[in-house]
Amino acid sequence: MLSILSSPRLWLLALMAIFFAAQPWHRDVGVTAFQLICLFSTCCLFFFRTLIDQVRELKVLAIGVSGIAAIAVLSWIFREYDEAPIRAVKPYIFLLSIVPIVFLIRIQRIKTSELAFVLIVAGVSLLVYGTQQFVTGYTGRWDGVENAVEFGNYAAVMACLSFLLSFGFARDRLSWLTRITLFIVGAAELYITYKSGTRSSLGIVLIAVLIGVAYFSVVRKSWVIVLTLCLVSLLSMFMLKDTPRAKFLQSEVVQAMDGGYASGSLGQRFEMWRLAVCLAGEFPVLGVGVGGFKYAQLDSWKSDCDVKITARKGYYHQAHSVYFQTLATMGYLGLIAMLGMLITLVTLGLRYFKSSGALLLFTALSFMAAGLTVDLYFKDFMVARFILLISIGVCLISRAPVGQSTTTPADSKV
């Protein structure tokens, strides 16, 4: 019993399960579990001499996240507004934990089936949440304990990951019971996404379908499944066309593009993006500083940037887009570093597309799509989701890379 409790492998899986299980209920519990994972993984780096080999394999990604963290710190040091809090830098610093977390998952030889179990735990938690919403008769947008957009995007990512694993996208074979369970929780998560009313989640689902079509046509060469996916997608588009929020989207886009339309959520985002571009024109190198977007609105609202919006000045804390937020607060240097990291992940997924790389490719592209309308690194629990899911995707590619010796933890201690 004591040996089980002292197993780093089980502690890691337990903390990951707690993180995902807490998402719809209590964000602070999830963030605490994530912070323990970061501490745990960082400490493990000092006990295994294979660290250098692991970092070499991820050196491009490590350089990318280090660059983002460094630029975030510099932009805050040379910030234009003293009111910008230092805690705004923390999410970008946490991006560095991708490397030790990937290292820990690999050195502990976490199996694909065990990572699938973590996704199942996340799905069961969301399923319980959805059941509770039905029982209580809640009629509003489902949002857990966060914004409906953030919650809907999260549920969509977890649903599609569960579907992709259940259809056998991972290199390691899963049992039929695990695959059926993944499919069931994925269906529940997809319905929760629908009930959140998050239109941007459609892009995440579309990415999953396109990756599925590419995988089954190129790797599996199963045209029956390809045609089935295309048919299901076509039917889904006709169903979504009749929903009120989908029908309203077209008119909202047209009016928002004309400028000055801020009564809808998309119109407000267009105004925030216009403000972000204006701020980047004034502070192109490092932006106004991390955490300074809210305070920049006080100076450059209507007079300099011609932003027309109904909310009071300083009301918005972020630009409602990871790209425009990065551009405004960290300048073009920060945007280039951010895009470099995301492109690195996409490239890595494409390189290993036939051996579980499709899962990493989907995860990276889904966050990139969600980042169009949401800042991924605005809150601790959001950056934690990104780090853990990206780390899982990287580890699923290959736990024993070609040309690198396989060393067990017992043999690699200092």
Side-chain angles (χ1 to χ4, degrees):
M1 183 66 178
L2 292 177
S3 61
I4 294 177
L5 293 176
S6 63
S7 171
R9 177 198 194 93
L10 293 180
W11 277 110
L12 175 60
L13 288 171
L15 289 172
M16 292 175 67
I18 291 172
F19 171 81
F20 287 110
Q23 295 299 297
W25 311 100
H26 204 288
R27 290 178 300 185
D28 291 340
V29 172
V31 171
T32 301
F34 170 72
Q35 291 172 341
L36 289 175
I37 292 174
C38 292
L39 178 62
F40 188 25
S41 60
T42 303
C43 291
C44 285
L45 295 180
F46 298 98
F47 292 96
F48 302 103
R49 64 168 176 261
T50 54
L51 167 63
I52 296 178
D53 293 332
Q54 297 289 342
V55 172
R56 282 176 182 171
E57 181 186 345
L58 300 171
K59 61 182 178 181
V60 178
L61 183 57
I63 293 172
V65 293
S66 299
I68 296 173
I71 293 172
V73 172
L74 288 175
S75 69
W76 186 83
I77 292 175
F78 298 102
R79 64 193 183 279
E80 298 296 324
Y81 303 93
D82 293 335
E83 298 88 347
I86 183 61
R87 65 176 180 273
V89 181
K90 183 172 63 172
Y92 301 96
I93 299 296
F94 267 125
L95 288 175
L96 293 170
S97 64
I98 289 179
V99 173
I101 290 175
V102 170
F103 168 73
L104 180 60
I105 294 176
R106 289 189 174 184
I107 207 68
Q108 293 299 323
R109 301 202 177 279
I110 305 297
K111 299 177 181 178
T112 304
S113 58
E114 294 169 330
L115 294 175
F117 169 77
V118 172
L119 294 182
I120 290 174
V121 170
V124 170
S125 179
L126 287 171
L127 179 59
V128 172
Y129 167 80
T131 303
Q132 182 197 51
Q133 297 298 86
F134 266 118
V135 172
T136 58
Y138 183 72
T139 57
R141 296 175 65 183
W142 292 7
D143 54 5
V145 290
E146 54 187 291
N147 183 278
V149 175
E150 301 160 2
F151 183 71
N153 287 335
Y154 165 70
V157 172
M158 300 305 289
C160 294
L161 274 176
S162 297
F163 282 135
L164 293 177
L165 266 178
S166 68
F167 282 114
F169 276 61
R171 186 178 60 177
D172 299 335
R173 295 184 64 86
L174 299 174
S175 66
W176 278 105
L177 178 60
T178 301
R179 294 171 67 174
I180 292 173
T181 306
L182 283 168
F183 186 86
I184 293 173
V185 297
E189 290 166 332
L190 198 60
Y191 182 73
I192 290 173
T193 302
Y194 170 76
K195 294 295 289 185
S196 73
T198 306
R199 293 166 294 191
S200 57
S201 297
L202 294 176
I204 296 175
V205 177
L206 178 60
I207 290 171
V209 171
L210 293 177
I211 289 178
V213 169
Y215 184 82
F216 283 106
S217 59
V218 175
V219 181
R220 295 287 187 86
K221 300 187 183 334
S222 178
W223 297 106
V224 174
I225 297 180
V226 171
L227 292 175
T228 302
L229 286 173
C230 293
L231 179 61
V232 171
S233 302
L234 184 62
L235 292 175
S236 300
M237 290 176 61
F238 279 109
M239 293 176 62
L240 291 170
K241 185 179 179 181
D242 295 330
T243 62
R245 287 182 61 80
K247 289 191 295 185
F248 180 66
L249 179 61
Q250 182 178 359
S251 62
E252 192 177 2
V253 169
V254 173
Q255 295 180 68
M257 289 295 292
D258 292 337
Y261 177 73
S263 61
S265 61
L266 184 61
Q268 292 175 2
R269 282 175 169 81
F270 269 77
E271 295 302 303
M272 291 297 99
W273 300 346
R274 186 178 289 111
L275 175 61
V277 173
C278 178
L279 293 174
E282 187 175 356
F283 308 100
V285 181
L286 292 173
V288 297
V290 173
F293 185 82
K294 172 183 178 180
Y295 305 98
Q297 297 171 49
L298 300 175
D299 293 338
S300 304
W301 187 263
K302 293 183 179 180
S303 59
D304 299 335
C305 300
D306 191 30
V307 175
K308 303 179 180 68
I309 199 166
T310 56
R312 68 180 185 274
K313 297 179 182 180
Y315 175 79
Y316 291 95
H317 294 257
Q318 51 137 336
H320 289 284
S321 170
V322 67
Y323 309 106
F324 287 102
Q325 175 74 7
T326 304
L327 179 63
T329 58
M330 291 193 286
Y332 286 97
L333 282 180
L335 181 61
I336 291 172
M338 183 70 66
L339 292 176
M341 179 192 69
L342 295 173
I343 292 173
T344 298
L345 293 170
V346 171
T347 304
L348 194 60
L350 288 172
R351 181 182 177 186
Y352 296 96
F353 187 77
K354 295 182 179 180
S355 57
S356 304
L359 293 166
L360 175 62
L361 180 63
F362 162 74
T363 304
L365 289 176
S366 64
F367 279 116
M368 292 175 69
L372 290 172
T373 57
V374 176
D375 181 13
L376 302 175
Y377 314 111
F378 176 53
K379 299 175 182 176
D380 288 347
F381 69 91
M382 294 180 68
V383 72
R385 289 173 181 170
F386 174 84
I387 291 172
L388 285 182
L389 290 176
I390 289 296
S391 298
I392 289 174
V394 172
C395 287
L396 283 172
I397 289 176
S398 172
R399 286 183 297 276
V402 177
Q404 182 175 319
S405 61
T406 303
T407 311
T408 61
D411 297 330
S412 56
K413 292 183 180 178
V414 176

